Amino acid sequence: DAGITQSPRHKVTETGTPVTLRCHQTENHRYMYWYRQDPGHGLRLIHYSYGVKDTDKGEVSDGYSVSRSKTEDFLLTLESATSSQTSVYFCAISESWAGRNEQFFGPGTRLTVL
Amino acid sequence: TQLLEQSPQFLSIQEGENLTVYCNSSSVFSSLQWYRQEPGEGPVLLVTVVTGGEVKKLKRLTFQFGDARKDSSLHITAAQPGDTGLYLCAGAAGGGADGLTFGKGTHLIIQP
């Protein structure tokens, strides 16, 4: 299994509070991703990173920011959490080659915004 | 925006039966992945198909990539209760490392 951990695994917070989720990898993969998974929508890309300090927006980036100061860590921040951001968040890593872009996922963080 | 339509959304069958899950798009993908997800866990990669017409087998699971690289199928022969789970297809648009486009998944239940 790919060495990917996410913390915390569960979090309950209140509307308007800032929240930071952490993804840590031990695989030294270049690319890292944040997705959210919601019933009826499947997995949707929030942000991704193609190297240290290099990030880009995904399909559902509004209300989220990311940072990657080290290869192994990718942080997702909700500056002011809203109830619509209640979801399960997954981090993924990839070492894309020959167009394959195989991604390996962490165990997820279940976030509830009250 | 690329879309992947996955069908059926839900499937409940008896142990020993065969089944096929479909993943269709109007867009061309450079590769397509199939994942399986258990409750409370992250998706686990089963297979990647890259070449149009490619067929890959993983024990009782057969994966096929369409000739035009717009669609894919997953066929399970003699389904077992251990095959129960959420099956996801995901497509990569190009040769870089952009995020994957996921189908909404097929919830599969194999009853003993």
Side-chain angles (χ1 to χ4, degrees):
Chain A
D1 291 342
I4 311 168
T5 56
Q6 292 185 232
S7 58
R9 293 293 314 279
H10 302 271
K11 186 171 183 66
V12 180
T13 191
E14 295 189 350
T15 298
T17 60
V19 176
T20 296
L21 308 183
R22 180 181 183 239
C23 177
H24 179 78
Q25 61 148 329
T26 58
E27 304 297 319
N28 201 36
H29 280 13
R30 177 180 175 185
Y31 306 102
M32 299 186 74
Y33 309 82
W34 278 106
Y35 293 87
R36 60 178 288 175
Q37 186 174 34
D38 304 288
H41 290 278
L43 280 144
R44 293 179 291 173
L45 181 68
I46 305 172
H47 280 279
Y48 63 103
S49 169
Y50 41 97
V52 173
K53 297 185 179 180
D54 288 326
T55 65
D56 208 345
K57 296 179 179 179
E59 177 188 357
V60 290
S61 60
D62 287 349
Y64 302 95
S65 62
V66 290
S67 65
R68 192 170 177 197
S69 59
K70 297 184 291 184
T71 299
E72 58 266 35
D73 290 324
F74 193 31
L75 304 181
L76 176 70
T77 297
L78 291 64
E79 300 290 347
S80 178
T82 67
S83 58
S84 65
Q85 293 175 313
T86 292
S87 186
V88 181
Y89 291 85
F90 288 100
C91 173
I93 64 174
S94 171
E95 195 62 49
S96 177
W97 56 277
R100 297 176 73 90
N101 197 1
E102 294 175 327
Q103 296 186 13
F104 301 93
F105 285 79
T109 294
R110 182 172 294 276
L111 176 66
T112 302
V113 183
L114 302 177
Chain B
T1 303
Q2 295 181 310
L3 293 174
L4 271 171
E5 299 289 339
Q6 200 170 333
S7 62
Q9 193 173 354
F10 297 95
L11 185 59
S12 179
I13 62 173
Q14 295 295 124
E15 181 178 359
E17 294 183 8
N18 302 331
L19 67 107
T20 302
V21 177
Y22 300 94
C23 186
N24 297 300
S25 176
S26 59
S27 303
V28 175
F29 292 99
S30 63
S31 68
L32 196 137
Q33 285 80 35
W34 285 91
Y35 292 84
R36 179 180 162 188
Q37 186 178 18
E38 302 281 357
E41 299 179 7
V44 175
L45 180 66
L46 295 175
V47 76
T48 298
V49 285
V50 179
T51 306
E54 182 176 4
V55 177
K56 281 193 173 180
K57 293 190 175 183
L58 186 64
K59 297 183 180 179
R60 293 176 293 98
L61 279 61
T62 302
F63 304 86
Q64 184 163 6
F65 203 13
D67 291 341
R69 305 207 316 269
K70 294 181 179 181
D71 54 85
S72 182
S73 63
L74 157 61
H75 182 79
I76 300 179
T77 302
Q80 304 293 313
D83 296 327
T84 293
L86 175 65
Y87 289 82
L88 299 162
C89 64
D98 296 346
L100 298 174
T101 297
F102 279 84
K104 293 182 180 180
T106 294
H107 293 267
L108 177 63
I109 297 174
I110 309 300
Q111 300 184 24

